[in-house]
Amino acid sequence: MHTRGPKAMSYALLGLALAAAPLACAASQKREAGCVVLRVADGDSFTCRDSRRVRLIGIDSPERGQLPFGSRAQLALRQMLPTGTAVRLEYDAAPTDQYGRVLAYVWVDSTLVNEAMVRDGWAVLYTVPPNVKYAERLGRAQNEARAGRAGLWAQNGFACLPKDFRRKVCLSSP
């Protein structure tokens, strides 16, 4: 009977680890992807050059019909993500929404755009489980924006929250 020694076992374990490495890399690649911005649709969504539509996770900005706040939020995101900007998309638990948009935390270099939109007062926290990875961070950004009357907070722009506007609970005009 032939038994394997410790050296043979080490090689076998190394072989298993090397075989699993591509799978680990593939899993990590599914957590992030690159994108080049084609156009900004509104204050919380945009389209990539490859036609993927992206919705920023954890935030909600005024709708385009919420005049004049929707166009101001759209302009703010357009300034952060001009056409041609290379971004990194970081995914959370749910990869898409009911409209087929990719749900992502959007990074430009070391800036989390979702957080910047909230911190600068162009969007509010909008948590939809299971995508909650940065919920506390976005909540802190909103508290800072509200206290500092940043962006639309200075203009009473969130008197009618975007989710309430969509449900026709209120109107947006000041």
Side-chain angles (χ1 to χ4, degrees):
M1 176 166 129
H2 186 313
T3 59
R4 295 181 186 228
K7 195 172 188 178
M9 272 308 244
S10 295
Y11 285 129
L13 290 174
L14 178 62
L16 286 173
L18 290 174
L23 296 175
C25 288
S28 70
Q29 288 173 350
K30 291 180 182 178
R31 303 304 310 156
E32 293 185 1
C35 161
V36 176
V37 176
L38 176 65
R39 74 179 153 275
V40 170
D42 55 28
D44 54 33
S45 61
F46 64 94
T47 303
C48 301
R49 279 191 185 156
D50 63 6
S51 301
R52 283 178 293 168
R53 294 177 306 134
V54 178
R55 171 72 164 77
L56 280 72
I57 296 174
I59 75 170
D60 203 12
S61 70
E63 300 296 327
R64 285 182 286 188
Q66 282 185 269
L67 301 174
F69 308 119
S71 59
R72 291 179 185 163
Q74 179 186 30
L75 178 61
L77 186 57
R78 191 177 290 144
Q79 289 173 339
M80 284 188 211
L81 301 177
T83 298
T85 301
V87 300
R88 181 170 48 95
L89 305 177
E90 179 185 350
Y91 309 125
D92 206 337
T96 58
D97 67 9
Q98 72 259 26
Y99 305 108
R101 297 177 295 189
V102 172
L103 298 173
Y105 300 105
V106 179
W107 295 87
V108 175
D109 298 320
S110 63
T111 299
L112 177 56
V113 174
N114 312 50
E115 180 181 37
M117 286 293 289
V118 173
R119 183 192 60 241
D120 295 348
W122 304 114
V124 292
L125 175 66
Y126 186 65
T127 304
V128 180
N131 291 343
V132 298
K133 181 175 183 177
Y134 294 114
E136 288 182 23
R137 184 172 171 171
L138 296 171
R140 286 190 301 272
Q142 179 170 294
N143 291 340
E144 291 172 21
R146 185 185 304 144
R149 300 191 45 79
L152 297 179
W153 291 107
Q155 305 165 33
N156 205 23
F158 294 116
C160 177
L161 293 173
K163 67 179 182 166
D164 293 333
F165 180 81
R166 287 190 295 274
R167 288 187 271 172
K168 300 188 185 331
V169 171
C170 54
L171 301 173
S172 68
S173 300

